[in-house]
């Protein structure tokens, strides 16, 4: 029988994408995917390092897995425990020191080496070079069919925000070629995908050269959206995450002209205080951000925005926090994520003095209440409207289906016919928590 494997994924959508590719790589190399983590022959943990809580989860899971490995050993069976992802990249030695049952550690740019590594007897080696090209070349076309599919188009980050580990764990910015992305998108669409979500730590800095009229010319994100939108059968295009200073006119114009490009932009600002933005090395001010939102809304009327916020960053005063709340009030976000600052080893801000934890907790609660209220307000404005919904999944109830609006709001409807993969008009009737319930317009 073939050896079985299970991949547990922590963190962001880029890790989800990586895990899907790793799944395929192992399946095509003759291993068998299993749904039983603890009983698998090869247990892989694809980790996240962005905040302390995320990386600590790895160590508690490793503790649990070691016990299963020991039990298997007693009955003469072997289990490989493998750690990959951003924690592996950042603290591979520490992982091997803290948990002796780990066999291999390899970073997010070393996936392609796994089938080779598994054949080796010798354990405990860390593979963490930034081998982007080799990694993407090793990826096969996706075997998992879905209505909405992810494609990583860019990896790494050159921005070096002072709180963030990404430039160290994912390395320098790397953009995949237009040809590679186009081929992957086309194959996904041929296999039933209707929506492509382009991923990258900084998709808005996407840059790749192509030969046009005999000359080398750069393609940026706006043009990439235009190129992908030519794929027959592809209905929706999205991208994340962007940095405000990279959003150019070409991309804004593309949103205006390209009906396949969804009117939703995830644009993290992190703080509404110029003092804190400067200390975070964000390279923009609150005025720049507000001006950018105004410019985009001026050109693309139905554009909605989401953002990321960090509260309790070192040096954040009551007044700085009030400025963040004021910015939220001014922008009116459709949805957002907020996090309590977490000092990450090796980042410039990690040596700064942290603010009082109770104050940080109170601010987190306040910002979350504010953002939730805004999300609700945004959603309420759609009640009784008719919206186009792309259906991607079955709901929990009989004959129930779930889809998303152009602004990413989940919508539940009932239908006797299978409507997965279809874009249908829905009259929005009710809002429960953050999701809509409606009726199909026939
Ligand atoms: N502490 C808290 N939140 C962080 N993020 C990144 N680094 C940290 C950190 N050290 C948040 C940012 C980023 C999102 C992906 O995670 O808001 O946009
Ligand atoms: Fe991290 Fe994003 Fe800043 Fe890059 S732009 S350093 S990924 S927060």
């Amino acid at each position: 029988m073939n050896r079985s494997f299970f991949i547990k994924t922590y963190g962001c959508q880029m890790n989800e994408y990586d895990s899907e590719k790793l799944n395929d790589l192992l399946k095509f190399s003759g291993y068998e995917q299993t749904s039983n983590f603890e009983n698998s022959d090869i247990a892989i943990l694809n980790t996240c390092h962005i905040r302390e809580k995320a990386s600590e989860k790895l160590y508690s899971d490793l503790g649990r897995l070691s016990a299963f490995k020991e039990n298997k050993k007693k009955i003469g069976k072997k289990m490989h425990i493998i750690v990959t992802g951003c924690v592996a990249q950042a603290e591979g030695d520490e992982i091997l020191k803290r948990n002796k049952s780990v066999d291999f550690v390899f970073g997010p740019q070393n996936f392609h080496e796994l089938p080779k590594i598994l054949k080796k007897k010798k354990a405990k080696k860390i593979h963490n070079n930034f081998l982007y090209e080799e990694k993407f070349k090793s990826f096969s076309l996706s075997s998992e069919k879905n209505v909405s599919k992810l494609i990583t188009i860019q990896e790494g980050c050159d921005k070096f925000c002072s709180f963030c580990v990404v430039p160290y764990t994912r390395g320098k910015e790397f953009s995949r070629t237009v040809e590679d992305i186009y081929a992957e998108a086309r194959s996904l669409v041929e296999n039933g995908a209707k929506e492509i979500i382009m991923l990258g730590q900084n998709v808005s800095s996407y840059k790749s050269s192509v030969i046009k009229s005999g000359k080398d010319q750069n393609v940026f994100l706006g043009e990439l959206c235009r190129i992908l939108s030519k794929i027959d059968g592809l209905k929706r295009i999205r991208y994340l995450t962007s940095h405000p200073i990279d959003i150019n006119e070409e991309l804004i114009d593309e949103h205006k002209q390209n009906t396949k490009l969804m009117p939703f932009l995830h644009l993290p600002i992190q703080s509404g205080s110029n003092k804190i933005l400067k200390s975070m090395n964000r390279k923009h001010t609150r005025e720049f951000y507000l001006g950018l939102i105004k410019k985009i809304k001026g050109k693309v009327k139905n554009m909605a925005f989401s953002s990321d916020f960090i509260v309790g960053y070192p040096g954040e005063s009551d007044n700085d926090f009030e400025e963040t709340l004021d910015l939220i009030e001014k922008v009116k976000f459709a949805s957002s994520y907020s996090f309590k600052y977490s000092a990450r080893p090796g980042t410039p801000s990690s040596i700064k003095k942290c603010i009082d934890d109770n104050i940080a907790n109170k601010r987190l609660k306040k910002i979350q209440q504010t953002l939730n209220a805004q999300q609700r307000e945004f959603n309420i404005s759609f009640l009784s409207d008719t919206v186009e919904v792309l259906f991607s999944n079955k709901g929990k109830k009989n004959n129930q289906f779930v889809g998303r609006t152009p602004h990413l709001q989940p919508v539940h409807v009932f239908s006797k016919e299978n409507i997965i993969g279809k874009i249908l008009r829905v009259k929005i009737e009710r809002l429960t928590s953050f999701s809509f319930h409606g009726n199909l317009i026939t």
Side-chain angles (χ1 to χ4, degrees):
M1 211 174 88
N2 291 341
R3 295 193 74 205
S4 66
F5 72 93
F6 183 95
I7 305 176
K8 178 164 178 177
T9 310
Y10 310 72
C12 67
Q13 284 171 304
M14 293 198 54
N15 268 11
E16 264 175 50
Y17 176 85
D18 280 349
S19 287
E20 191 186 319
K21 293 297 181 190
L22 203 48
N23 255 313
D24 283 347
L25 191 65
L26 289 173
K27 276 194 270 180
F28 297 142
S29 307
Y31 297 93
E32 209 168 279
Q33 194 176 3
T34 164
S35 55
N36 190 334
F37 194 26
E38 282 93 356
N39 259 328
S40 55
D41 301 322
I42 305 162
I44 303 171
L45 299 107
N46 189 6
T47 59
C48 170
H49 196 52
I50 200 93
R51 283 169 293 275
E52 194 181 355
K53 249 192 200 160
S55 20
E56 280 308 315
K57 266 193 215 148
L58 161 71
Y59 292 105
S60 65
D61 280 345
L62 278 181
R64 223 159 34 88
L65 276 181
S66 318
F68 281 94
K69 184 171 175 161
E70 277 308 305
N71 286 343
K72 277 192 140 195
K73 209 167 156 187
K74 282 180 200 151
I75 53 167
K77 284 192 171 173
K78 206 168 163 189
M79 182 186 207
H80 270 123
I81 300 180
I82 296 171
V83 183
T84 182
C86 291
V87 187
Q89 185 71 37
E91 45 189 68
D93 288 322
E94 172 80 10
I95 295 170
L96 293 177
K97 231 192 284 162
R98 274 176 74 168
N99 194 303
K100 303 285 176 229
S101 57
V102 174
D103 295 282
F104 304 116
V105 173
F106 65 100
Q109 270 75 48
N110 302 83
F111 285 171
H112 52 286
E113 302 191 78
L114 186 59
K116 203 172 61 196
I117 293 171
L118 281 172
K119 288 201 178 91
K120 286 187 185 165
K121 287 255 156 42
K122 199 168 162 283
K124 314 271 186 220
K125 183 154 173 358
I126 301 171
H127 299 254
N128 60 358
N129 295 324
F130 290 112
L131 305 172
Y132 296 110
E133 298 212 21
E134 290 85 339
K135 166 185 171 171
F136 285 110
K137 251 190 233 147
S138 76
F139 285 177
S140 56
L141 297 173
S142 175
S143 69
E144 208 177 293
K145 296 187 170 118
N146 250 323
V147 169
S148 179
K149 293 291 291 188
L150 308 170
I151 301 185
T152 294
I153 63 162
Q154 179 277 338
E155 253 196 84
C157 182
D158 297 342
K159 295 282 190 294
F160 289 93
C161 298
S162 51
F163 52 83
C164 185
V165 286
V166 166
Y168 314 100
T169 57
R170 293 271 172 170
K172 279 178 74 60
E173 285 180 5
F174 168 86
S175 293
R176 290 177 71 191
T177 63
V178 175
E179 293 87 340
D180 262 13
I181 298 165
Y182 185 84
E184 185 164 344
R186 219 179 60 178
S187 129
L188 292 173
V189 173
E190 278 164 7
N191 281 296
K194 304 288 176 198
E195 175 177 86
I196 296 290
I197 306 172
M198 294 189 274
L199 299 178
Q201 266 90 28
N202 254 314
V203 273
S204 47
S205 67
Y206 176 84
K207 185 168 109 179
S208 179
S209 69
V210 293
I211 308 235
K212 279 192 226 164
S213 335
K215 278 196 223 139
D216 245 358
Q217 281 186 36
N218 282 327
V219 170
F220 298 99
L221 185 61
E223 190 173 355
L224 182 65
C225 292
R226 190 153 65 249
I227 293 170
L228 293 192
S229 67
K230 305 252 162 64
I231 299 175
D232 267 351
L234 177 62
K235 305 276 191 222
R236 289 182 171 184
I237 300 172
R238 301 182 187 274
Y239 59 85
L240 80 159
T241 291
S242 305
H243 190 287
I245 63 169
D246 295 325
I247 304 288
N248 60 16
E249 296 290 336
E250 186 192 25
L251 183 62
I252 304 174
D253 288 342
E254 197 56 28
H255 271 284
K256 195 173 168 181
Q257 291 148 16
N258 189 338
T259 52
K260 291 188 180 182
L261 187 54
M262 291 296 101
F264 190 85
L265 182 54
H266 182 59
L267 199 58
I269 179 163
Q270 315 297 355
S271 168
S273 149
N274 281 338
K275 181 189 100 190
I276 297 295
L277 287 171
K278 188 153 192 264
S279 170
M280 285 176 163
N281 190 29
R282 284 290 294 176
K283 304 178 176 71
H284 61 79
T285 59
R286 66 181 261 133
E287 290 76 21
F288 175 85
Y289 188 89
L290 288 169
L292 180 62
I293 298 273
K294 193 167 166 206
K295 181 157 90 179
I296 301 173
K297 277 187 178 166
K299 280 197 174 177
V300 191
K301 296 281 173 264
N302 63 343
M303 194 74 156
F305 299 88
S306 66
S307 193
D308 289 343
F309 294 90
I310 295 178
V311 300
Y313 184 79
E316 186 189 66
S317 64
D318 282 343
N319 188 46
D320 295 319
F321 181 60
E322 286 304 320
E323 287 198 291
T324 301
L325 294 179
D326 176 72
L327 179 125
I328 293 172
E329 207 36 60
K330 288 199 163 75
V331 176
K332 304 228 177 297
F333 291 98
S335 64
S336 282
Y337 302 91
S338 48
F339 312 98
K340 186 168 81 170
Y341 170 72
S342 164
R344 307 309 292 128
T347 58
S349 67
S350 65
I351 50 169
K352 294 185 179 175
K353 188 170 175 281
C354 282
I355 72 156
D356 182 282
D357 200 43
N358 286 329
I359 296 178
N361 284 332
K362 275 194 195 132
R363 286 182 189 160
L364 184 65
K365 204 165 162 204
K366 173 75 186 153
I367 200 171
Q368 285 178 342
Q369 279 167 350
T370 310
L371 291 168
N372 284 348
Q374 235 175 43
Q375 182 169 358
R376 205 169 158 75
E377 219 176 285
F378 178 74
N379 285 342
I380 284 173
S381 71
F382 287 83
L383 288 176
S384 305
D385 282 2
T386 298
V387 289
E388 291 200 331
V389 178
L390 171 60
F391 288 95
S392 52
N393 293 91
K394 285 202 148 172
K396 285 192 185 124
K397 296 184 180 153
N398 212 9
N399 291 336
Q400 193 182 43
F401 293 88
V402 191
R404 296 259 175 186
T405 69
H407 295 112
L408 265 183
Q409 299 132 305
V411 182
H412 294 73
V413 300
F414 287 100
S415 161
K416 290 221 167 79
E417 194 194 318
N418 183 352
I419 52 172
I420 289 180
K422 290 190 177 165
I423 293 186
L424 298 170
R425 284 157 60 80
V426 176
K427 170 111 189 286
I428 303 295
E429 304 287 355
R430 279 186 307 125
L431 174 67
T432 51
S433 173
F434 294 110
S435 92
F436 288 134
H437 297 260
N439 293 323
L440 289 173
I441 300 201
T442 46

